Amino acid sequence: MPKDSDAPTYDFRAVTEADLPMLAAWLAEPHVAEWWDEGPEEELRGIIEAMDSVETEPLIVELDGRTIAYVQSYDPHLEDGHPYQDQPFGTLGMDISIGPPDLVGKGHGSAIVKQFSDMLFEEGAPRVVIDPHPDNLRAIRAYEKAGFRAFDTRTTIYGPALMMARDAEEQD
């Protein structure tokens, strides 16, 4: 993938009901499914619930009109008992999954995470956190390339998590 100045620009749009079959297929892909304990059906239910929630914003990522990823931001302070409420007020969390297997390992993950976190900073978030499984080295490297740094390891109701953060004042 080219350097930042040549990096592609991704478009983000709200998830719609028409996206659900595609998301179900992505969630069943081995490179996605291996990191979820619940299975594709339960994860899809979570996305459907997020479509109507105030604390989570589920989005489809497009590149040149092709749907390539799912990303969501969430406010841990709006969800009762969320395990990341110890983060500074205004912190937003994010999750990402590259859908098509042929796009994994091509640099899209780090580029999407950087562009999306930059957008969240522009909207006023002081910090963005992401929480890959500690064994997901591919994701951890991608997040580090996007400027995230590990600060804690936790076990939550969602499973083991390497807590990583990027702060607004540390932007490039």
Side-chain angles (χ1 to χ4, degrees):
M1 168 120 344
K3 293 285 182 213
D4 279 351
S5 62
D6 298 326
T9 299
Y10 301 93
D11 295 308
F12 301 89
R13 65 167 177 79
V15 171
T16 68
E17 284 193 32
D19 296 314
L20 297 178
M22 174 190 66
L23 288 169
W26 286 356
L27 289 166
E29 288 287 351
H31 73 279
V32 177
E34 72 179 302
W35 302 112
W36 297 106
D37 293 333
E38 297 294 332
E41 299 82 16
E42 187 62 30
E43 294 305 324
L44 187 62
R45 269 194 288 284
I47 292 171
I48 293 167
E49 288 174 14
M51 290 169 67
D52 293 324
S53 76
V54 293
E55 70 269 359
T56 304
E57 183 178 20
L59 301 168
I60 294 295
V61 183
E62 296 180 341
L63 178 62
D64 299 325
R66 179 183 180 193
T67 55
I68 66 165
Y70 171 80
V71 68
Q72 68 180 19
S73 64
Y74 60 90
D75 186 336
H77 295 96
L78 292 179
E79 186 179 327
D80 287 340
H82 194 284
Y84 305 156
Q85 289 182 348
D86 62 335
Q87 294 302 294
F89 187 76
T91 294
L92 294 177
M94 70 175 293
D95 299 299
I96 180 174
S97 294
I98 302 294
D102 64 308
L103 296 180
V104 174
K106 309 275 189 204
H108 293 291
S110 58
I112 292 168
V113 167
K114 181 163 185 340
Q115 183 182 330
F116 191 62
S117 59
D118 285 346
M119 288 171 42
L120 296 176
F121 293 142
E122 289 170 15
E123 294 171 4
R127 170 177 262 203
V128 177
V129 295
I130 197 161
D131 59 352
H133 189 287
D135 295 338
N136 191 343
L137 301 180
R138 180 176 59 224
I140 293 166
R141 281 191 303 271
Y143 305 152
E144 287 172 342
K145 286 181 189 175
F148 283 75
R149 297 291 166 251
F151 68 90
D152 195 9
T153 302
R154 300 182 181 182
T155 300
T156 71
I157 60 169
Y158 308 110
L162 176 65
M163 296 298 299
M164 301 181 76
R166 183 171 175 231
D167 293 314
E169 69 266 10
E170 295 173 0
Q171 290 185 74
D172 297 336

